[in-house]
Amino acid sequence: MPPSLIQSCSSGALLMLLMANLFLWEKVSSAPINASETTLNDLKDLFDNATVISGKMAELGFAMRKEFFSNSFSSDIFTNIILDLHKSKENIIKAFNSCHTVPINFPETTEDIRMTSFEEFLKMILQTLLAWKDPLQHLVTELSALPGCPYSILSKAKAIEAKNKDLLEYIKRIISMVNPAIKENEDYPIWSDLDSLQAADKEIQFFALYMFSFCLRSDLESLDFLVNFLKCLLLYNDNVCYSGF
């Protein structure tokens, strides 16, 4: 029976699995990787922390989205928005495609995942974290200034912003050890909806909040999956990682 994702292995076995797995990825096989046992142990520690943070971020994203729907501050407007969106499939598709991180092509099927290189997964994570860095700062600023905004929502936004910064630092450290060829200033999608978030018109502003929380929740769940998946690829063989699909 293959080991679970949390089952421990000897450092020597982990090193062999790491090297075997990395050579499965065409684009990574040529990248300089110093996979000493010390490096592998350091990577495991980094990924242990990264997965904890990504998991907490996903929980917070879900909780904040839920709070917008349940708190009287925004529940009526959010309910009306979702009812309007569900009047047609085209509205839903248009709303989903308006997320600023859509250009980051997350794999959507098992085949997509198998065809995506390790390097590309790392870039996706880095680009997503960078793409949300400034928007999250703006969200905290605007919610802080928004009359009647409950602390239960603001506190979650602040926590997500802080953890996004923390996870970004862990991912940068992982990249520096696994594939330094990936640049820290990797191109990433730019968010351009600040005007709507600052709009004096309440309907425009709350629709911006609706879309922000929708896109954020979706991306945080994708991030959590990718970080855990990469940890699996680094520490175990690909058959173990794909067994859940």
Side-chain angles (χ1 to χ4, degrees):
M1 179 178 294
S4 69
L5 296 185
I6 59 174
Q7 185 174 337
S8 62
C9 299
S10 69
S11 58
L14 284 174
L15 177 59
M16 292 177 64
L17 287 171
L18 171 63
M19 295 304 295
N21 181 72
L22 290 177
F23 280 106
L24 291 173
W25 301 100
E26 181 179 4
K27 293 186 179 180
V28 180
S29 60
S30 60
I33 298 176
N34 181 20
S36 66
E37 291 190 16
T38 300
T39 297
L40 189 57
N41 287 331
D42 289 343
L43 281 171
K44 183 181 183 302
D45 289 342
L46 289 171
F47 266 106
D48 284 344
N49 288 317
T51 53
V52 170
I53 296 173
S54 67
K56 186 60 178 178
M57 289 172 69
E59 291 176 6
L60 285 166
F62 174 82
M64 185 173 71
R65 176 77 170 166
K66 183 178 179 181
E67 183 82 12
F68 273 119
F69 275 100
S70 62
N71 196 290
S72 59
F73 163 74
S74 51
S75 58
D76 288 345
I77 297 179
F78 268 50
T79 299
N80 288 335
I81 290 172
I82 198 169
L83 289 175
D84 286 341
L85 287 175
H86 280 267
K87 287 179 180 178
S88 73
K89 184 178 179 180
E90 289 74 19
N91 286 343
I92 297 175
I93 294 174
K94 182 179 179 181
F96 178 80
N97 287 333
S98 70
C99 293
H100 76 290
T101 54
V102 165
I104 302 174
N105 295 316
F106 292 114
E108 297 180 357
T109 66
T110 302
E111 184 62 23
D112 289 339
I113 293 172
R114 289 181 179 273
M115 294 298 293
T116 303
S117 73
F118 191 87
E119 180 182 47
E120 288 170 329
F121 278 126
L122 278 175
K123 286 183 178 180
M124 288 176 196
I125 295 172
L126 179 62
Q127 289 173 330
T128 304
L129 291 169
L130 290 171
W132 280 107
K133 184 178 178 181
D134 289 343
L136 284 168
Q137 291 176 347
H138 287 301
L139 178 67
V140 170
T141 299
E142 298 309 319
L143 288 178
S144 298
L146 191 58
C149 179
Y151 181 74
S152 56
I153 291 177
L154 177 59
S155 62
K156 292 179 179 65
K158 288 181 176 180
I160 294 171
E161 181 200 6
K163 291 186 182 302
N164 189 78
K165 292 178 180 178
D166 292 341
L167 184 56
L168 179 58
E169 290 307 309
Y170 276 109
I171 294 303
K172 286 180 178 179
R173 290 172 64 186
I174 290 169
I175 287 173
S176 70
M177 298 173 69
V178 173
N179 189 354
I182 299 176
K183 304 299 182 182
E184 289 189 8
N185 61 347
E186 186 74 29
D187 290 339
Y188 58 91
I190 302 299
W191 181 71
S192 59
D193 206 27
L194 180 58
D195 287 345
S196 296
L197 200 60
Q198 295 176 330
D201 186 310
K202 188 175 182 179
E203 289 189 6
I204 294 176
Q205 185 180 40
F206 273 71
F207 184 76
L209 285 172
Y210 176 92
M211 289 307 306
F212 192 110
S213 61
F214 167 79
C215 298
L216 178 63
R217 176 195 170 185
S218 176
D219 281 357
L220 292 183
E221 290 177 350
S222 296
L223 271 176
D224 187 37
F225 165 78
L226 289 177
V227 172
N228 278 277
F229 188 67
L230 277 192
K231 176 182 176 181
C232 182
L233 289 177
L234 279 170
L235 300 182
Y236 306 104
N237 62 55
D238 63 319
N239 290 329
V240 173
C241 304
Y242 291 127
S243 62
F245 299 114

